Amino acid sequence: MSRPRISQLAAALALAGLLPVTADAQRASLATAIVLSLADSTVPPPPALKPAYHVHLSSTWPQEAAGGCRNGGEETVDGTLARASDGTYTGTFTRRTELLFCGAHGSNQVAGTAGCELVLTGRGEVAVTGVVQVDDTRPGGREVRLVWTPAPGHQAEVNGACAPAFKNAVRQMYLETPHAAEFALPAAGAGPRTERLENYAWTVAVE
């Protein structure tokens, strides 16, 4: 980028000895250059986050149906995240689930059949923790990694023609397994945001 003409003229006069350059002027010029250089290299901080967010996750699980047999179902996880003193977000959310399974499952299937069907119905609380991470690809430059774990007292009922051991294993997995998702957090003052997550089978609404 070319310099302004007045700077070129002043430089020429100074070199020719026609314009005196004092020590104070040199120091002032150097200080200005440093300030401008720092200003050019400073990256503005990301916008502030809200102290609390309402989050609603709804599953986008694949749904398969063949011959009256269905695999799929749906689940929602809903609640409010509040920021703690260490910058993390925590909350207790409500989870509602209907999980459909149909098919073979190895040695646990009912003898003399090609497979079985079951329906898991679950409802209860999950403990949620959100850790904020920097992500320049996200709006606002930040995202949260949300992890939720079934809390004591979470309920699940499994019905169907599958073997008892298999039904019990499915129930225990549902009641004990943590889950996670990552999504952008709107900045303070921003409106609600809905996103279908690419790497997770969820759609999230945050406000």
Side-chain angles (χ1 to χ4, degrees):
M1 179 181 296
S2 61
R3 297 181 179 177
R5 292 183 180 179
I6 184 66
S7 298
Q8 293 175 345
L9 176 60
L13 292 175
L15 288 174
L18 300 178
L19 180 67
V21 179
T22 66
D24 288 341
Q26 289 177 330
R27 285 193 292 270
S29 178
L30 178 60
T32 301
I34 292 174
V35 170
L36 292 175
S37 177
L38 290 174
D40 290 341
S41 63
T42 300
V43 177
L49 296 176
K50 299 178 183 180
Y53 291 91
H54 183 82
V55 178
H56 180 83
L57 288 152
S58 54
S59 63
T60 56
W61 301 340
Q63 307 293 318
E64 300 177 356
C69 183
R70 292 182 59 198
N71 279 288
E74 60 183 3
E75 180 170 275
T76 61
V77 182
D78 185 271
T80 299
L81 286 173
R83 186 168 57 211
S85 58
D86 62 357
T88 62
Y89 284 83
T90 61
T92 300
F93 286 23
T94 298
R95 178 170 69 157
R96 299 179 178 88
T97 311
E98 183 183 52
L99 174 65
L100 308 176
F101 171 82
C102 178
H105 47 86
S107 60
N108 287 321
Q109 70 186 56
V110 176
T113 66
C116 68
E117 297 182 45
L118 65 76
V119 178
L120 181 148
T121 303
R123 179 187 173 96
E125 294 183 341
V126 291
V128 181
T129 301
V131 178
V132 178
Q133 306 174 129
V134 176
D135 186 348
D136 294 335
T137 67
R138 294 283 193 180
R142 258 94 60 90
E143 69 174 11
V144 64
R145 176 172 173 77
L146 207 68
V147 178
W148 60 97
T149 305
H154 204 304
Q155 300 177 356
E157 182 179 347
V158 182
N159 296 299
C162 295
F166 179 66
K167 290 195 291 185
N168 185 62
V170 171
R171 182 177 182 276
Q172 289 302 115
M173 180 178 65
Y174 173 78
L175 292 175
E176 297 175 359
T177 304
H179 297 276
E182 298 177 3
F183 51 88
L185 284 177
R193 173 181 172 80
T194 299
E195 177 184 5
R196 179 161 181 160
L197 307 181
E198 294 182 0
N199 299 321
Y200 303 90
W202 295 98
T203 292
V204 60
V206 190
E207 59 179 322

Coordinates of all heavy atoms in Angstrom, one line a residue, residues 63-71 102 117:
Q63 N -34.8 -44.1 11.1 CA -36.0 -44.8 11.3 C -36.2 -45.9 10.2 O -36.1 -45.5 9.0 CB -37.3 -43.9 11.3 CG -37.2 -42.7 12.2 CD -37.2 -43.1 13.7 OE1 -38.0 -44.0 14.1 NE2 -36.3 -42.5 14.5
E64 N -36.3 -47.1 10.6 CA -36.4 -48.2 9.6 C -37.6 -49.1 9.9 O -37.9 -49.4 11.1 CB -35.1 -49.1 9.6 CG -33.8 -48.3 9.3 CD -32.6 -49.2 9.5 OE1 -32.8 -50.4 9.9 OE2 -31.5 -48.8 9.2
A65 N -38.3 -49.4 8.8 CA -39.5 -50.3 9.0 C -39.6 -51.3 7.9 O -39.4 -50.9 6.7 CB -40.8 -49.4 9.0
A66 N -39.8 -52.5 8.2 CA -39.9 -53.6 7.2 C -40.7 -54.7 7.7 O -40.4 -55.2 8.8 CB -38.5 -54.1 6.8
G67 N -41.7 -55.1 7.0 CA -42.6 -56.3 7.4 C -43.2 -56.1 8.8 O -43.3 -57.0 9.6
G68 N -43.6 -54.9 9.1 CA -44.2 -54.6 10.4 C -43.2 -54.5 11.5 O -43.6 -54.4 12.7
C69 N -42.0 -54.5 11.2 CA -40.9 -54.4 12.2 C -40.2 -53.1 12.2 O -39.9 -52.6 11.1 CB -39.9 -55.5 12.0 SG -38.6 -55.7 13.2
R70 N -40.1 -52.4 13.3 CA -39.5 -51.0 13.3 C -38.3 -50.9 14.2 O -38.2 -51.5 15.3 CB -40.6 -50.1 13.8 CG -41.8 -49.9 12.9 CD -42.7 -48.8 13.5 NE -42.0 -47.6 13.7 CZ -42.5 -46.6 14.6 NH1 -43.6 -46.8 15.3 NH2 -41.8 -45.5 14.7
N71 N -37.3 -50.2 13.7 CA -36.1 -49.8 14.4 C -36.1 -48.3 14.4 O -36.3 -47.6 13.4 CB -34.8 -50.3 13.8 CG -34.6 -51.7 14.1 OD1 -34.2 -52.1 15.3 ND2 -34.7 -52.6 13.2
C102 N -35.8 -54.1 16.6 CA -36.3 -55.2 15.9 C -35.2 -55.9 15.1 O -34.6 -55.3 14.3 CB -37.5 -54.9 15.0 SG -38.2 -56.3 14.1
E117 N -38.5 -58.3 18.9 CA -38.8 -56.9 19.0 C -38.8 -56.5 20.4 O -39.2 -57.2 21.3 CB -40.1 -56.6 18.3 CG -40.2 -56.9 16.9 CD -41.6 -56.6 16.3 OE1 -42.1 -55.5 16.6 OE2 -42.2 -57.4 15.5

